[in-house]
Amino acid sequence: MKNIIIIVALATFSYSTSLAQTKNKKELLYSNKFSLLFGMLQPTVAKGFNVEVNYTTKGMIFDYSHGISLDPPVVGDFKTQKIALHIPYTTGFGIGYRINSFFDVRFEPKLHAWEVYNEGETQNNTTKIKDFKTFTLGVGAYYRYMPFKNSESKLLQGITTSTSVRYWQNVGTTLINDEFSYLNKNTNKTETLKAPNIGIANSPIIFNIAIGYTFGGK
């Protein structure tokens, strides 16, 4: 509960501070536009796929993202117990405030589905140890870059990159007490694992770079 309060407070503070600046701010570029973006770390690090759709207004940004078939690297107890994690999907939306034409902060509720297997085994229903879901609330900071925004070619102008740093805190799971026990084939003992975090090295922190296209001119 304490983590939820902190996250909501940070999001509210960021939004309120930014909102106070709107009266003196010039109209933002790329307002009322759609962007289609594809995450780069999902295929390179987690062997999966991620797509994100953004819509910008003059002061806000709205997004929906969906990741598919991710295999995150394991650390800690998961690595010690020789466990493999698979994420069939991770999905959710974000709502944020555009501080300038290219930088925004967002509040992001997300849902993540997990499957647990023994390391090296074929992943199917007969070998699955456990499946469950986690729910996160978080905040993110995004910087969008248009490398060809001044190009004479209308086609090139829409090419977009988005670099992001996010903090997605677990706030709930479908597991009892946020953990599960199972019989480990390697140790031949009953082992216990806590619900993992979705971020880097089983943390709530996520870094990503996405590449895509913004439709329409400035």
Side-chain angles (χ1 to χ4, degrees), residues 10 85 193 202 212:
L10 286 172
L85 294 173
L193 288 168
N202 196 23

Side-chain angles (χ1 to χ4, degrees), residues 11-12 21 31 46 64 89 94 97-98 104 125-126 155 182-183 193 197 215:
T12 303
Q21 302 172 358
S31 299
Y64 172 74
Y89 66 88
Y97 184 80
R98 302 180 68 200
D104 65 83
N125 286 331
T126 60
L155 185 63
Y182 72 103
L183 179 62
L193 288 168
N197 289 289
F215 297 91

